[in-house]
Amino acid sequence: MSRPPHPPARTANGAAAFVLDRPVVADGPSCHRLARKAGTLDVNSPYAYLLWCRDFADTSVIARRGGAPIGFVTGFRRPAAPGTLFVWQVAVSPDERGRGVAAAMLDDLVDRLPVDHVEATVTPENTASQALFTALAARRGARLARTGLFDVEQLGAGHAPEVLLRIGPIDRPRPA
Ligand SMILES: CC(C)(COP(=O)(O)OP(=O)(O)OC[C@H]1O[C@@H](n2cnc3c(N)ncnc32)[C@H](O)[C@@H]1OP(=O)(O)O)[C@@H](O)C(=O)NCCC(=O)NCCS
């Protein structure tokens, strides 16, 4: 099931705009490729992305330009707290960054899911990721709380600690 394009399918100068869509199983290999290209993500198996696109498509989103995947968000509603959307991974193709693709994907999920909090983990040195979630909290007039979640001992040597960001409660609808 495709969702209506958001933002519009053409920009003011007539170039193809990106559209947001529900992932389908055939998007699994593209998500795996985008995760590899991202450079800062833990790259999961091709199988994991296929399974995600099959079973968590409702809580995930893919951005396409001219039909080609340029970014994705994988997420799920926490089983023990369904009002919380946990954002597992966000990736935007390096040549598409800085154009609001990641922000639009997060807004799409928050707008259409019955959630009032968003969680994600970030590593301390990932400034782009920190900025992405800080901007989401600011757009929604929500608090952003930081707590340690997984430490180096749990994640293994060579992996930076993962800090939990919890954003909410989120204003619905979005403030003008
Ligand atoms: C993080 C990432 C998804 C951002 O994607 P993007 O489409 O470029 O982000 P957007 O253009 O939507 O920007 C959203 C906000 O983050 C800010 N931001 C994005 N990249 C930034 C950077 N490198 N440095 C500082 N701020 C940045 C933007 O300024 C914007 O904030 P604003 O609304 O206050 O101006 C992208 O850099 C990426 O794929 N990185 C590699 C994978 C990764 O680290 N993912 C996050 C962890 S799961």
Side-chain angles (χ1 to χ4, degrees), residues 74-95:
T74 45
F76 61 92
R77 292 171 64 199
R78 295 191 64 212
T84 296
L85 170 71
F86 188 90
V87 173
W88 178 41
Q89 288 193 316
V90 187
V92 171
S93 178
D95 52 335

Side-chain angles (χ1 to χ4, degrees), residues 34-35 37-41 70-73 87-94 96-106 120-123 126-136 138-139 162:
L34 285 164
K37 270 190 1 186
T40 48
L41 294 179
I70 58 166
F72 72 82
V73 175
V87 173
W88 178 41
Q89 288 193 316
V90 187
V92 171
S93 178
E96 294 280 356
R97 289 181 189 166
R99 298 173 177 168
V101 176
M105 292 193 291
L106 291 179
T121 67
V122 297
T123 52
N126 193 336
T127 49
S129 180
Q130 309 248 14
L132 173 67
F133 290 105
T134 303
L136 172 67
R139 279 198 304 283
E162 294 277 357

Side-chain angles (χ1 to χ4, degrees), residues 104-129:
M105 292 193 291
L106 291 179
D107 280 338
D108 176 69
L109 289 173
V110 172
D111 283 341
R112 67 185 168 78
L113 294 172
V115 295
D116 53 20
H117 284 78
V118 172
E119 289 186 350
T121 67
V122 297
T123 52
E125 76 281 6
N126 193 336
T127 49
S129 180

